């Protein structure tokens, strides 16, 4: 049995006051049976970790792959550890697109995160032209294979993958549940090929891209979808709580 996950990706949103309000609001409202995670901007992580109830887990949205160095403006994984976060989103399509993150770099980040006991939430997914050309599976297989090159998985429960088709992110046009399930099922097959059936069946695979209160239940019914990575609809505490309640 894979425990369901509802992870909010706040991106570059929220003020400190809003974060404090969020944390107070969700305490006692989010269910224990779902792993509820919020991935916040770096400067709020420490505050969130300190103020949040134990069952609200906190994650970062990115990290550098090196411990320290002359990388102005970057955040080291050791600094993330200092904040007390458990998770880190890696390879989000916005990082790949706007910050030129390659699979090679993402691979180094996954290795570093696991070395430091940070749980990676790896994002993969295709652009619309790739889907229209019928090359979605090819792209997913290439991303997963490169991102996990040489990655040793000791505890598959600590690895999370989010299938996020780029055409569905922030557009209000979610992939329908069957399309999302087909991609998540394919990702599990690729993981089985690289690792083993046992490992692939323990890794949680999320769907992301315009997840909302109106489609989360449909998506969660699918056997290979273990949760959601949610941007816009995770920002308001009321909506986050309801998403978590529906992700059971
Ligand atoms: P969205 O974003 O839910 O606003 O589409 C999802 C994401 O980018 O992780």
């Amino acid at each position: 049995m894979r425990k369901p996950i509802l992870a909010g990706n706040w991106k570059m949103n929220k003020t400190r006051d809003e974060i404090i309000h969020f944390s107070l609001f969700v305490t006692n409202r989010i269910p224990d049976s779902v792993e509820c995670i919020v991935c916040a901007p770096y400067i709020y992580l420490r505050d969130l970790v300190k103020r949040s109830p134990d069952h609200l887990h906190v994650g970062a949205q990115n990290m550098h792959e090196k411990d320290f160095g002359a990388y102005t403006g970057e955040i080291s994984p050791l600094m993330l550890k200092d904040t007390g976060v458990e998770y880190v989103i890696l390879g989000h399509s916005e990082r790949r697109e706007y910050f030129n993150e390659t699979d090679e770099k993402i691979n180094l980040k996954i290795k570093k995160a696991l070395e430091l006991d940070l749980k990676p939430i790896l994002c993969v997914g295709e652009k619309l032209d790739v889907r229209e050309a019928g090359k979605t599976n090819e792209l997913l297989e290439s991303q997963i294979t490169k991102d996990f090159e040489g990655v040793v998985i000791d505890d598959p429960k600590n690895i999370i993958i989010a299938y996020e088709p780029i055409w569905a992110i922030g557009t209000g046009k979610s992939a329908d549940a069957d399309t999302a399930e087909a991609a998540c099922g394919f990702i599990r097959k690729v993981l089985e090929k690289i690792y083993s059936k046992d490992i692939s069946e323990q890794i949680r695979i999320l769907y992301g891209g315009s997840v909302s209160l109106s489609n989360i239940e449909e998506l969660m019914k699918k056997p290979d979808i273990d949760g959601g990575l949610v941007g816009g609809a995770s920002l308001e505490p009321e909506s986050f709580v309801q998403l978590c309640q529906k992700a059971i």
Side-chain angles (χ1 to χ4, degrees):
M1 257 302 275
R2 298 183 291 265
K3 185 172 183 181
I5 291 180
L6 196 294
N9 173 14
W10 287 346
K11 310 193 181 186
M12 198 174 70
N13 291 297
K14 290 203 176 289
T15 61
R16 186 164 179 273
D17 283 351
E18 286 168 347
I19 277 167
I20 292 167
H21 169 70
F22 186 101
S23 165
L24 285 173
F25 184 90
V26 305
T27 304
N28 300 328
R29 288 187 167 93
I30 49 174
D32 264 341
S33 50
V34 174
E35 213 162 297
C36 306
I37 308 170
V38 282
C39 297
Y42 292 129
I43 60 162
Y44 303 131
L45 293 175
R46 182 96 187 112
D47 249 349
L48 255 180
V49 169
K50 281 211 294 205
R51 288 169 186 273
S52 297
D54 288 347
H55 58 299
L56 179 64
H57 303 267
V58 181
Q61 299 172 10
N62 181 36
M63 62 174 219
H64 197 273
E65 69 275 17
K66 298 242 173 77
D67 289 344
F68 295 113
Y71 302 99
T72 302
E74 284 293 311
I75 296 289
S76 138
L78 291 175
M79 296 167 188
L80 286 192
K81 286 297 287 183
D82 271 347
T83 67
V85 295
E86 274 176 79
Y87 298 84
V88 57
I89 296 177
L90 295 175
H92 190 279
S93 59
E94 287 150 16
R95 302 279 336 157
R96 293 179 190 256
E97 169 109 9
Y98 307 137
F99 302 93
N100 304 317
E101 283 200 18
T102 59
D103 286 309
E104 290 66 30
K105 214 170 184 50
I106 294 160
N107 173 253
L108 294 175
K109 293 186 184 199
I110 294 179
K111 286 178 178 158
K112 178 55 78 174
L114 291 175
E115 181 193 317
L116 295 175
D117 287 328
L118 287 164
K119 301 173 189 170
I121 304 175
L122 168 71
C123 301
V124 293
E126 80 288 0
K127 287 188 178 157
L128 190 58
D129 59 337
V130 172
R131 173 154 291 272
E132 284 174 351
K135 297 205 157 133
T136 299
N137 286 358
E138 208 177 295
L139 178 95
L140 293 176
E141 180 152 15
S142 156
Q143 286 183 326
I144 300 276
T145 308
K146 289 178 189 163
D147 296 346
F148 279 99
E149 170 83 49
V151 173
V152 178
I153 297 184
D154 291 326
D155 187 352
K157 287 190 293 302
N158 291 342
I159 307 268
I160 299 155
I161 298 179
Y163 167 61
E164 294 209 313
I166 295 168
W167 46 270
I169 294 178
T171 59
K173 281 172 69 182
S174 168
D176 62 58
D178 288 337
T179 305
E181 168 68 4
C184 293
F186 178 76
I187 289 170
R188 208 177 293 288
K189 282 263 168 305
V190 175
L191 292 168
E192 182 181 333
K193 203 155 96 182
I194 302 175
Y195 294 101
S196 66
K197 193 166 180 59
D198 179 47
I199 287 184
S200 76
E201 282 179 353
Q202 291 183 66
I203 292 178
R204 267 112 23 115
I205 303 178
L206 317 180
Y207 166 77
S210 297
V211 172
S212 68
L213 288 172
S214 57
N215 60 17
I216 183 78
E217 284 160 310
E218 196 67 21
L219 290 160
M220 291 305 296
K221 281 188 200 139
K222 298 292 180 186
D224 278 312
I225 300 178
D226 304 314
L229 178 58
V230 191
S234 75
L235 287 170
E236 292 306 322
E238 296 83 352
S239 164
F240 180 78
V241 166
Q242 284 183 52
L243 283 165
C244 290
Q245 288 167 347
K246 285 174 187 252
I248 290 173

